[in-house]
Amino acid sequence: MHVGAPLWGTTLEERCDYYREVCGIPAFVSTDGVNTIRAGGDDFCVVTTPPHLGAAVRSRMDDVPGRCGPALLSALSGRWVFLARVGPLDICADLELAAVNVGITDAATLLLPVPGPPSTAQRTWVVPPTDTYLPTRDWIIDAVRWCRERAGSVGVQR
């Protein structure tokens, strides 16, 4: 039985094309010493969270109308990284999010995992991109706020 090439390709360039064309992620091949696939651009941002909050945010985003969108996990830091489109940002959000160890970076350049099955790489997809959907950062921030409020109310009830 012959198995064809995976949907995401076999070369770094084909895999980068998959991210750009199928997933709508502004990806490019970086050749600064080690060939890697990175994403970045003016309309692209990332929201990073600690592990416990990342799992809760994903669950919240999956529970309400809409969906989570691409998210990856950094094996080194344990942090979740949510990919998003830049959108309006509440001026108070930076301080509020910093208090719960959440970071937002606009026009981010991010090292992407190689598409395909999970590996033992430093970054792996928790929610892999499958199409061009990227949530806005305010959608992710709303989920962070909801999770933080729920965690606070649970603590008060005990």
Side-chain angles (χ1 to χ4, degrees), residues 121-132:
Q122 291 181 355
R123 293 179 182 256
T124 57
W125 288 113
V126 178
V127 181
T130 57
D131 56 26
T132 59

Side-chain angles (χ1 to χ4, degrees), residues 26 36 42 77 97-98 107 116-117 120 128 137:
T36 57
D42 293 339
S77 68
L97 296 172
T120 58
R137 73 172 159 211

